Amino acid sequence: APEPSAHDLSLGVDWLTRYGYLPPPHPGQLQLRSPLKLRDAVKVMQRFAGLPETGVLDAVTVAAMRRPRCSLPDVLGLAGLVRRRRR
Amino acid sequence: YALGGSAWKKRVLTWRVQSFPRGSALRPDVVRTLMHFALAAWGAETDLTFREVGTQDTPEPDILIGFSQNFHEDSYPFDGPGGTLAHAFFPGEHPISGDTHFDDEETWTFGVKDGEGTDLFAVAVHEFGHALGLGHSSAPDSIMRPFYQGPVGDPAKYRLSQDDREGLQQLYGKASQTPSAKPTRKPLTAPPQPPALPPDSPSTPFPDRCQGNFDAIANIRGETFFFKGPWFWRLQPSGQLVSPRPARLHRFWEGLPADVRTVQAAYSRPDGRILLFSGSRFWVFRDRLREGEPRQLTALGLPEGEQVDAVFSWPQNGKTYLVRGGRYWRYDEAAQRADPGYPRDLGLWEGAPLAPDDVTVSNAGDTYFVKGTQYWRFPKGTVQADPDSPQPLGPQWLDCPRPPQTTPQPGGCNCQCEINQ
């Protein structure tokens, strides 16, 4: 897959942060995110969207980010909330 | 399933619809009924009971339901049509706990096919899952998946998926009676029956995409739009149709006058603006319609009263081509003026059909002339059609069956040849 454009990457990171897949940026730190963290976040997002878990921010994944949805974050773990998942 | 981290300590929860959708065809009694059934879907699986209360009842109900726009005094502003649809607050002691908000700017519907609007019942079931303590799930058949997945059928017959049932029962235990024997709601007054779902064939007739003959085709932000009359289809960059059922033109292109029944040409300008053409006028959209629209085609260098069959921006030179019949004009976006020496003969585009329905450029940079049920592909940077053009449009682009192969019959034929074919 081609590399995502800077525009898609920026929108994607913003979207992944808003819905809890990436931690919010710390105001005192440079907003560097490792490609590995980003790939993991994209994989989880793809699972929620029912897409193949490639970890690549491709056109299909970006299009899924534009789908209508609920406003609540998908990943609540960062807020320290209890999560249980069926095996 | 995923749990949000809190649950109600009581088993009888009160609710009330505080505000109703303003621009929706759904009447308040229908909205109330849908809320009854959406709560009942959860109540059927546990010993939770839901009781509707009136405005005079105190204290405030546990689950206060409302339709609002933009910022509405919580941390989750709505964003207009599309995007975020609704949200609800997890159980707790705070006054807002359990409250459920719907974006009033969505087209809330019930009982219509996917693509016509957003099904209120499906979204309400999802949001009440949050109001009872469930987070988002990635299970394939869960109503708690975060993305809207379309209508879920008859509210009176709806039953949660196993994933959702298990999540709820983790919080509140199983119902002591079977769902069918258990009273799950106790409304203020006898609620009306849920509105009957329409039959499988939609009541509003719409055109068959497989018959082609589109008015306009455009690549808009990576998606291909096919316009036909007051309808359009969208093809995602992955090649998948958003829905086989077309969307209504005026519900999406807000501000386009109601008397515009067809879009004759459309294209996306390099600066991201989207132009729709009809007759001798055109409209410019970005996030919304620009003020002061429409404009006249003469602004793009065409003679008074002229119309266009097709408009496209050619990536090779950034210029805009406006096609009518067998001629075309060229407009320089950078200089904001028409290039001199036009119109010219469309024959420059070797193999292209005269008076195409429209011309569009794919994400890969190839140019496609479309007419009737066929397309002519011009590989990136060339003005010569592929030797195997034209090809049938429907199977390649619109998930239509491939036309049967015909064997040439000997004998005379009644056919017309154009100079370019």
Side-chain angles (χ1 to χ4, degrees), chain B residues 15-20 31-32 35 52 64-67:
Chain B
W15 65 277
R16 175 161 62 85
V17 183
Q18 185 179 35
S19 58
F20 292 91
V31 172
R32 277 182 51 226
M35 298 301 154
E52 187 179 14
L64 197 56
I65 300 161
F67 290 78

Side-chain angles (χ1 to χ4, degrees), chain B residues 45-329:
Chain B
E45 309 298 345
T46 60
D47 280 332
L48 287 173
T49 304
F50 298 100
R51 186 163 63 85
E52 187 179 14
V53 296
T55 49
Q56 71 284 2
D57 291 328
T58 54
E60 281 281 282
D62 301 308
I63 299 172
L64 197 56
I65 300 161
F67 290 78
S68 47
Q69 298 185 1
N70 305 317
F71 290 92
H72 53 280
E73 299 176 351
D74 66 21
S75 303
Y76 300 95
F78 285 127
D79 55 0
T84 54
L85 304 173
H87 52 244
F89 292 84
F90 291 130
E93 301 298 324
H94 192 278
I96 206 168
S97 301
D99 290 359
T100 304
H101 301 162
F102 297 86
D103 187 349
D104 195 21
E105 291 191 84
E106 304 301 336
T107 303
W108 293 111
T109 55
F110 169 69
V112 299
K113 289 280 183 183
D114 196 10
E116 278 279 280
T118 308
D119 189 85
L120 180 58
F121 175 71
V123 177
V125 175
H126 173 101
E127 297 306 334
F128 292 147
H130 291 315
L132 297 175
L134 291 181
H136 282 150
S137 169
S138 59
D141 53 352
S142 170
I143 195 71
M144 295 313 295
R145 290 186 74 164
F147 297 91
Y148 174 66
Q149 295 163 83
V152 292
D154 186 346
K157 295 178 186 161
Y158 178 75
R159 188 149 188 232
L160 296 168
S161 73
Q162 188 180 350
D163 185 72
D164 301 321
R165 288 200 303 269
E166 287 180 3
L168 187 76
Q169 289 165 356
Q170 182 79 20
L171 294 172
Y172 302 103
K174 288 188 179 179
S176 53
Q177 299 176 53
T178 59
S180 58
K182 183 178 178 294
T184 55
R185 54 193 162 83
K186 190 175 179 184
L188 286 176
T189 55
Q193 289 301 303
L197 285 168
D200 285 342
S201 57
S203 55
T204 314
F206 56 86
D208 178 359
R209 67 184 188 284
C210 297
Q211 289 183 352
N213 292 299
F214 296 101
D215 299 324
I217 297 157
N219 182 337
I220 296 172
R221 297 173 187 175
E223 294 188 340
T224 311
F225 283 57
F226 295 82
F227 296 87
K228 191 167 187 178
W231 304 93
F232 71 93
W233 291 262
R234 280 167 76 174
L235 189 68
Q236 294 175 331
S238 60
Q240 197 168 19
L241 273 173
V242 169
S243 169
R245 183 185 171 92
R248 287 183 188 277
L249 187 64
H250 294 88
R251 286 202 182 168
F252 187 89
W253 301 97
E254 285 189 4
L256 192 67
D259 65 335
V260 176
R261 304 305 293 169
T262 59
V263 171
Q264 285 170 249
Y267 85 109
S268 179
R269 228 162 51 182
D271 66 0
R273 287 180 164 75
I274 301 153
L275 279 69
L276 304 185
F277 297 79
S278 189
S280 58
R281 299 178 296 172
F282 68 93
W283 290 260
V284 181
F285 288 80
R286 184 152 185 178
D287 297 328
R288 54 188 61 195
L289 183 64
R290 274 175 42 148
E291 286 181 15
E293 304 301 338
R295 300 179 65 194
Q296 295 293 321
L297 269 177
T298 49
L300 299 177
L302 270 69
E304 184 83 34
E306 190 63 272
Q307 300 186 16
V308 284
D309 296 322
V311 184
F312 65 102
S313 174
W314 204 41
Q316 267 53 46
N317 57 10
K319 306 252 181 159
T320 298
Y321 291 72
L322 302 108
V323 182
R324 179 66 168 174
R327 300 181 303 168
Y328 70 97
W329 288 260

Side-chain angles (χ1 to χ4, degrees), chain A residues 11-87:
Chain A
L11 282 178
V13 169
D14 179 55
W15 191 97
L16 291 166
T17 307
R18 190 186 324 155
Y19 292 110
Y21 296 100
L22 285 173
H26 190 283
Q29 294 175 346
L30 286 175
Q31 290 188 28
L32 291 175
R33 299 191 190 267
S34 80
L36 200 63
K37 285 266 167 58
L38 182 60
R39 198 174 64 196
D40 287 347
V42 171
K43 274 188 184 176
V44 182
M45 175 268 166
Q46 287 169 329
R47 185 186 313 149
F48 275 93
L51 301 173
E53 294 175 39
T54 62
V56 179
L57 193 61
D58 55 12
V60 181
T61 306
V62 172
M65 290 176 172
R66 299 196 176 106
R67 281 166 54 188
R69 57 161 291 147
C70 175
S71 313
L72 292 193
D74 301 338
V75 181
L76 302 170
L78 296 165
L81 298 171
V82 177
R83 287 173 59 77
R84 296 177 73 99
R85 185 162 293 281
R86 186 172 50 141
R87 281 169 186 255

